[in-house]
Every structure is written in structure tokens, then in C-alpha cells.
Amino acid sequence: MCNWYVTMKNLLLLVMLVLTGSCVFAQGFEITAFEESYKGTIGETLKAPVRFKNTTEKPITLIIRKVNGQIGSSQRHYFCYDNNCLDQKVEDYVVKIEPGQTLNNFNIVLEAGLVSGECTIKYVAFNKAIPGQSIEFGLNFKVEEKPEKQNIY
């Protein structure tokens, strides 16, 4: 009888540790409606919508940070929310998201510039209170020459 009690007690302790551990490491947000690649022509402004959803029962402060990436010398890259765009020198966007809410109208923008080519820019989004809760993602932009106009005779 005593061995059974010890075994059940240990099993209960193990179950509690596993459940506690899964709560600690649960992701507090997710990316929804995301595409990795965008294509445009020289002189265009390419907008990449990125949606973040708070999956917790508490508000979170999310930091979206540019990690690395090379863009052309005539290109510009920046964050926009509701058509309010930040300066291209700003590498972090900080926003509070309420429980269960989705951050809509957030875009990462690339002004395609004057030269064709491809670039990849990497980002990380993380919960300010728990920086270990992070998601890395990358955006690929392909800028092509404008197609020549066909003369119809």
C-alpha cells in the first residue's frame, strides 16, 4: 500500500511539473495572415502586412525589431501602422496588444528604389515582459524592371 501511495504521489508531482512547464513556455502571441515574399517594380512601394495576435488573457507589449538585412542604396525600409509611418532609422516598433486581440493595419514597407534586385530582411517579435517568447520571421522582396510598353501598330 505504501509503495502505491509513493508511486501515485510521484506521478502527480510529475504531471504538475509538466503542466507548469508547458504554461511557462507557452507562446503568448502568434503571427497570422503572413506571406514571406513580395514582388514589385522599380519605383513602387511594397507593403507587407504582418498580423500579430495576443493569445494570452493579459495585455502584452510586443516589440518588433529589424535584426538584419541588406537593401539597395536607393531603397528605404520602415514600419507603418494605420498609414502612420516611422522614420527608416527606427529599428524597433513597440505596441500594446489587448488579450485575444489582433494587431491589424501593421505593415513593413519597402520603397523599391531605382534598381532591380532582391533583398531579405529578418525580424524578431518578442514579448517585452518575457523576451524568451519570440518569433523570428523574414521578408523577401524582389524588385524588377518595369515592363516596356508594347507599341500596337
Side-chain angles (χ1 to χ4, degrees), residues 98-119:
E98 295 298 324
Q101 295 296 309
T102 299
L103 175 65
N104 291 310
N105 302 322
F106 176 74
N107 294 292
I108 295 174
V109 177
L110 178 79
E111 290 181 7
L114 305 172
V115 180
S116 62
E118 294 183 33
C119 66

Side-chain angles (χ1 to χ4, degrees), residues 32-45:
T32 61
F34 174 73
E35 288 183 39
E36 287 185 17
S37 298
Y38 294 86
K39 184 169 32 171
T41 59
I42 291 174
E44 273 189 314
T45 300

